[in-house]
Amino acid sequence: MRTRAAAALAVLLLLLAGCAGGTPAGRGRGGPVTLRFQSLAWQRESVAATRELVREWNAAHPEVRVEYVQGSWDSVHDQLLTSFEGGEAPDVIHDASDDLADFAHGGYLARLDGLLPARLTSDIPEAAWRTTTFGDGVYGVPFLQEPRVLIADATRLRRAGVRIPTPEDPWTWAEFRTVAEKLSGHGTYGVAWPLKEPVSATLDLGLSAGGGLFHRDAAGRVTVRFGPGDAVVPRTIRDQVVTDRSAPAATLGSGGSDTLPGLFGGRYAMVPLGFSYRQQIVQQAPKGFDWTVLPAPAGADGLTQGVSPQTLSVAADCPHRKEAAAFISFLLRPGNMVRLALGDWMLPTGTRALRDPALHTAENGWATGTALAAHLRPAPARSVRGYPEWRDKVAAPALQEYYSGSIGLDALRTRLEKDGNLVLARYQR
Amino acid sequence: MRTRPAARAGQYAALLAYLLFLALPLLWLLSTAFKSPRELGSLHPAWIPRHPTPANFRQALDEQPLLHAALNSLLVALTAAVVAVLLATPTAYVMARHRSVLSRAATGWVVFSQAFPFVLVIIPLFLVLKRLRLIDSLAGLTLVYVVWALPFALWMLVGHVRAVPAELEEAAAVDGAGRLRTLVSVTAPLLAPGIAATALFAFVTAWNEFFFALVLLKSPGKQTLPVVLTHFIGAEGAADLGPLAAAASLATLPPLAVFAVIQRRITGGLLAGAVKS
């Protein structure tokens, strides 16, 4: 018995010793600088492109070595927050701009103004920079973004004889409603709205109709005000689901990928999705399925849409900010930005990259998406402190109830404004 | 009392239906893992793939270090299970046999501690581990899993200890066995199924845990399987479904193997040998 116990203890100690192997990666002392770059690239092509760029950097810059770390979109905010608090954050951080507000205000990110070359600063439009500017400082470089588009079954559109919209001559929201109705019937629907995350979709598309919802006064205080422009998109969606029955209620709680089989199987004629979903469509669509990319409908403000670009930032604790900024600058050279964009099926923010012929082909709808790039704006809500809480606790349940027909527009307005302003007030004391 | 054949058939049918219900997610996972992307996009998904392909498994294994991550997970989960059981068993014995206000308070605290969400404890935990130089180390992660599993393991084992009649220990004492001999020769064998179940619980908890592993491990070579699995998932829930299902199918194999080994212990007879025949 004793022998057995001793053997078990020995095995345990060995296991623990095995566990303890290795030392945490640190920054070089006296030797070459080592930067840890946490990338959230996840599609096969974008991971390959990012890794390849890191290899190219390391080959050309032996004095500044970059270590590629594969991150995860799942729980990235909590992971980064913990790493920041513990002083162990990656040096170069890939994230989305709507995640940066809290980190920038919390002092976790380094200001990048003055560290980036004029070539990069002037290449990215002012609207994109506004998504990563908090107070007076820039805390991230926006480099990839995607508009919401309508992925449509081209055959059904042709058969129905509806006018095919283009970025130059898009559908109005009213016309879109009429078309969706025309495409419905016999157990099929004109459109399916995957609104698992209803707030960002509603707010981003709402900008086209002059919506904004979040308003900042001269003193910088933000309040929620639901005006006529804010009602256009929610009312259209609700009317399609509840009144016209041109959109199924069943998909309101679905994610984008969940609606694709219905699109391929002819149940829905159109699905509003992010531009990058084209990759899944190319992979999954049955042979012979004729699909097309249409611009989202336009309102009083044209094709304007809110976006939250993907960003690259530098941790405030990084002792080699200049080197980190130089790496970001290398990664976002126009040619490299195109490689990253093609890998992620998204649009680059850089104007020179956007001119690349590879992004203007009609194939897979690239040209339609590229034509929308000039209309993309920072969504006003996304950079406001307290937005995530307002989104999860107030807006998401209120919009879901409104879309399903449980509450009316007045109740929606009251909840978004009254409850929303209570939430925001806590963050602005 | 004899059961009528019809009633017995009904019982078997109900049991079969229940087992099938439990197996559905696993069967669906396997089915998805062998489907081509085009079949994944079908409006009428089939249980059995029409053109089964191992391509998803190849892609998953090519793109992500799944085997290395599985080894990391196995090492951490096995160690956490063994240590948690070694710590919990004597403590549970004391709490079960020596009832007092203190032991009741301790039991209450143990149950209450299960209510803390991960996010609440992660930052202080991170700081403590950093001070101990255990960030980005599998030993640190194992320590966290032991601490995390310990309360529930204790709670489980206290119940099992209470189920062992104290009279058996008293009888052994009357027969002249000392305290240690009684514990080793009488109590421990009777507790074996409970210990096995607790170890299984600790193993599965550690095997599936994602958030601590995500936050505490930084080096790619140390990441565990749940963290690597999320590399097939993009922003706003988009996912590379085929390779994800293939990788997740592979990830279920080690726990199934551990369960197969330990299950014999659990079902091996709770009080086998307790009564002289």
Side-chain angles (χ1 to χ4, degrees):
Chain A
M1 200 71 194
R2 261 184 208 166
T3 324
R4 266 196 218 168
L9 193 64
V11 169
L12 179 65
L13 287 173
L14 278 172
L15 279 170
L16 277 171
C19 285
T23 51
R27 295 183 176 96
R29 283 181 193 163
V33 168
T34 300
L35 296 174
R36 185 186 288 267
F37 165 41
Q38 179 168 296
S39 164
L40 299 180
W42 70 282
Q43 305 209 50
R44 196 196 321 191
E45 298 92 338
S46 60
V47 172
T50 313
R51 282 182 181 278
E52 185 54 34
L53 287 171
V54 169
R55 263 195 296 274
E56 287 173 21
W57 166 272
N58 284 336
H61 301 83
E63 74 290 356
V64 182
R65 197 179 155 274
V66 171
E67 195 177 280
Y68 178 95
V69 179
Q70 174 85 58
S72 160
W73 282 104
D74 198 352
S75 307
V76 66
H77 185 87
D78 293 331
Q79 184 225 353
L80 285 174
L81 181 63
T82 310
S83 306
F84 284 135
E85 286 283 347
E88 295 278 342
D91 300 289
V92 179
I93 296 159
H94 180 185
D95 203 351
S97 70
D98 58 358
D99 224 14
L100 298 189
D102 283 349
F103 293 150
H105 287 296
Y108 300 123
L109 296 176
R111 277 183 70 150
L112 297 178
D113 346 23
L115 289 176
L116 300 169
R119 188 254 317 148
L120 182 62
T121 317
S122 60
D123 189 42
I124 296 174
E126 180 55 31
W129 281 117
R130 284 210 304 276
T131 63
T132 56
T133 304
F134 306 99
D136 297 331
V138 171
Y139 291 90
V141 184
F143 71 110
L144 290 178
Q145 57 188 352
E146 60 175 332
R148 288 176 198 273
V149 290
L150 296 170
I151 306 285
D153 181 336
T155 311
R156 277 185 66 185
L157 257 62
R158 263 198 310 273
R159 274 194 202 136
V162 299
R163 182 178 76 79
I164 306 295
T166 62
E168 295 74 36
D169 191 9
W171 285 331
T172 62
W173 282 100
E175 198 178 358
F176 170 59
R177 193 178 154 191
T178 311
V179 168
E181 225 180 328
K182 201 170 175 184
L183 289 163
S184 303
H186 308 293
T188 63
Y189 297 92
V191 63
W193 284 96
L195 289 177
K196 194 174 181 179
E197 292 179 24
V199 185
S200 52
T202 308
L203 262 57
D204 291 346
L205 291 171
L207 252 61
S208 69
L213 209 59
F214 280 53
H215 300 272
R216 198 180 288 273
D217 64 19
R221 192 174 176 79
V222 178
T223 47
V224 182
R225 215 168 48 243
F226 189 86
D230 295 301
V232 173
V233 173
R235 203 160 43 205
T236 305
I237 298 173
R238 180 190 157 108
D239 286 345
Q240 287 180 325
V241 174
V242 178
T243 313
D244 307 342
R245 310 267 177 190
S246 58
T251 61
L252 290 177
S254 306
S257 306
D258 304 327
T259 56
L260 294 183
L263 177 72
F264 302 148
R267 186 168 288 173
Y268 321 125
M270 299 180 285
V271 184
L273 291 170
F275 195 51
S276 60
Y277 271 90
R278 294 167 305 131
Q279 195 256 2
Q280 289 197 26
I281 292 164
V282 168
Q283 270 195 351
Q284 295 181 12
K287 277 180 189 157
F289 179 75
D290 188 10
W291 59 282
T292 184
V293 177
L294 309 176
D301 280 6
L303 284 166
T304 308
Q305 266 190 49
V307 280
S308 173
Q310 292 190 19
T311 57
L312 291 171
S313 302
V314 176
D317 283 348
C318 173
H320 307 290
R321 293 182 186 183
K322 243 170 69 180
E323 289 83 354
F327 171 66
I328 290 176
S329 170
F330 164 81
L331 214 56
L332 303 185
R333 283 178 187 169
N336 295 345
M337 222 193 249
V338 173
R339 286 160 70 182
L340 293 171
L342 288 172
D344 255 332
W345 292 70
M346 295 176 97
L347 296 176
T349 53
T351 48
R352 284 171 64 189
L354 263 175
R355 285 199 290 268
D356 193 286
L359 302 174
H360 289 266
T361 63
E363 195 183 5
N364 298 328
W366 276 107
T368 305
T370 311
L372 299 174
H375 302 279
L376 303 179
R377 301 276 179 276
R382 306 271 190 107
S383 58
V384 172
R385 297 195 78 182
Y387 166 73
E389 185 179 340
W390 173 81
R391 177 192 61 203
D392 297 340
K393 291 186 179 165
V394 177
L399 282 169
Q400 274 158 355
E401 285 180 48
Y402 176 70
Y403 289 145
S404 65
S406 305
I407 59 170
L409 194 64
D410 286 340
L412 174 70
R413 179 185 291 113
T414 307
R415 280 173 61 176
L416 292 180
E417 287 184 350
K418 197 176 156 199
D419 299 351
N421 284 324
L422 283 173
V423 170
L424 293 191
R426 278 199 288 110
Y427 287 85
Q428 300 181 92
R429 273 175 199 149
Chain B
M1 204 165 88
R2 303 188 83 180
T3 315
R4 286 185 192 158
R8 172 149 296 200
Q11 285 171 353
Y12 278 120
L15 183 65
L16 196 68
Y18 181 62
L19 289 177
L20 196 65
F21 174 73
L22 290 182
L24 279 181
L26 191 60
L27 293 175
W28 188 251
L29 192 68
L30 278 173
S31 163
T32 306
F34 284 101
K35 283 179 180 170
S36 67
R38 299 209 188 282
E39 216 177 331
L40 286 172
S42 169
L43 183 60
H44 304 291
W47 273 100
I48 299 171
R50 284 182 209 104
H51 308 288
T53 168
N56 290 325
F57 288 91
R58 260 201 310 271
Q59 188 184 334
L61 289 165
D62 283 351
E63 284 179 15
Q64 298 296 339
L66 288 177
L67 295 180
H68 188 76
L71 276 177
N72 288 341
S73 281
L74 203 60
L75 189 64
V76 168
L78 277 177
T79 314
V82 171
V83 177
V85 163
L86 284 177
L87 292 174
T89 307
T91 317
Y93 183 82
V94 173
M95 285 170 75
R97 286 286 185 258
H98 303 281
R99 293 193 192 191
S100 64
V101 176
L102 194 65
S103 83
R104 271 199 293 275
T107 310
W109 174 248
V110 160
V111 176
F112 179 65
S113 69
Q114 292 294 298
F116 294 138
F118 281 18
V119 176
L120 194 72
V121 296
I122 189 67
I123 290 176
L125 185 71
F126 191 93
L127 294 172
V128 169
L129 288 176
K130 189 183 171 194
R131 186 157 280 239
L132 295 171
R133 293 177 183 277
L134 285 174
I135 293 294
D136 197 30
S137 94
L138 294 179
L141 188 65
T142 308
L143 189 66
V144 172
Y145 289 166
V146 170
V147 172
W148 201 255
L150 211 48
F152 196 77
L154 260 177
W155 188 64
M156 273 176 86
L157 276 170
V158 165
H160 283 284
V161 173
R162 283 186 187 149
V164 175
E167 291 78 9
L168 287 174
E169 292 172 6
E170 287 162 13
V174 169
D175 287 347
R179 189 93 178 138
L180 190 64
R181 178 73 192 272
T182 305
L183 284 176
V184 171
S185 304
V186 177
T187 314
L190 298 176
L191 267 183
I195 290 172
T198 308
L200 192 64
F201 156 77
F203 177 83
V204 171
T205 306
W207 179 265
N208 289 329
E209 202 286 323
F210 163 70
F211 188 58
F212 285 140
L214 174 76
V215 170
L216 298 176
L217 301 174
K218 295 186 295 178
S219 305
K222 290 179 184 164
Q223 288 181 335
T224 56
L225 204 50
V227 177
V228 172
L229 284 181
T230 61
H231 294 168
F232 295 104
I233 300 172
E236 292 196 17
D240 206 351
L241 200 55
L244 176 63
S249 305
L250 293 176
T252 58
L253 296 180
L256 285 179
V258 170
F259 185 76
V261 171
I262 288 185
Q263 190 210 24
R264 288 213 319 256
R265 272 280 177 205
I266 297 174
T267 55
L270 184 62
L271 293 178
V275 180
K276 285 179 187 172
S277 55

